[in-house]
Amino acid sequence: MEGPAAPLPQATAHLARLRQLRAAKDAMDRDWADAELNLDAVAAHAGYSRSHFVRAFKAAYGQTPGQYLSQRRIERAAEMLRTCDLTITEICHLVGFTGLGTFTTRFKQHTGQTPGEYRRERLGRGAALIPGCYALLWAGGFHPTRNSTTRDSPTRDSNSEEAH
């Protein structure tokens, strides 16, 4: 009786490419809020050129990497709009968009509503919102140790090394 057949080289190469694409998708899932996350870095992470990565990602997942990342960011923004008392602009930046106009356009494309309409419709149901300071702490946008003292703080010792 013969043992199992060795995998075909084509199948092995295809699985390796899928693993690379999955690693890039995982990186986008992990770093979705980073406004500096760009297509070149994700493509390099997967071992692809930019244009080849876009084609391979779309073939594997049915959407471009930009569409996927935008969808992830909008999902997170929708959650924050339903649960936090942060402003729409604060949420826009927390989820990785750099411009409010782009954020509003993408949000409406995905949900059929502007962020303000989306929030108003859900707040009408009597939901209590999480205070923004807690939401910022959770989202990593607030760092108490980094923000607790400033150069002009009256509690800072003017003779310390940092003041000079």
Side-chain angles (χ1 to χ4, degrees), residues 54-85:
V54 171
R55 286 189 303 273
F57 191 95
K58 185 168 185 175
Y61 296 109
Q63 57 189 9
T64 67
Q67 291 167 332
Y68 177 77
L69 185 57
S70 182
Q71 177 185 334
R72 298 292 295 158
R73 289 174 170 168
I74 295 302
E75 289 167 358
R76 298 297 185 219
E79 179 183 354
M80 289 180 174
L81 286 165
R82 288 189 310 268
T83 61
C84 303
D85 73 350

Side-chain angles (χ1 to χ4, degrees), residues 6-133:
L8 298 172
Q10 274 182 319
T12 303
H14 179 70
L15 287 175
R17 285 192 299 275
L18 286 176
R19 276 190 213 103
Q20 289 172 307
L21 288 173
R22 182 60 198 203
K25 188 173 181 250
D26 289 345
M28 286 189 284
D29 287 340
R30 181 185 58 247
D31 299 329
W32 56 266
D34 185 356
E36 300 297 317
L37 184 65
N38 65 46
L39 186 57
D40 291 325
V42 177
H45 186 74
Y48 285 89
S49 71
R50 178 187 175 113
S51 57
H52 187 66
F53 176 67
V54 171
R55 286 189 303 273
F57 191 95
K58 185 168 185 175
Y61 296 109
Q63 57 189 9
T64 67
Q67 291 167 332
Y68 177 77
L69 185 57
S70 182
Q71 177 185 334
R72 298 292 295 158
R73 289 174 170 168
I74 295 302
E75 289 167 358
R76 298 297 185 219
E79 179 183 354
M80 289 180 174
L81 286 165
R82 288 189 310 268
T83 61
C84 303
D85 73 350
L86 296 168
T87 68
I88 292 170
T89 302
E90 289 169 328
I91 291 171
C92 163
H93 293 289
L94 279 174
V95 299
F97 284 95
T98 55
L100 188 58
T102 301
F103 170 65
T104 301
T105 300
R106 296 279 191 285
F107 194 92
K108 188 166 185 174
Q109 287 172 342
H110 284 272
T111 66
Q113 297 176 305
T114 66
E117 292 167 343
Y118 184 88
R119 174 176 266 173
R120 280 188 297 279
E121 183 178 296
R122 275 121 190 112
L123 288 181
R125 298 178 185 164
L129 297 176
I130 298 168
C133 57

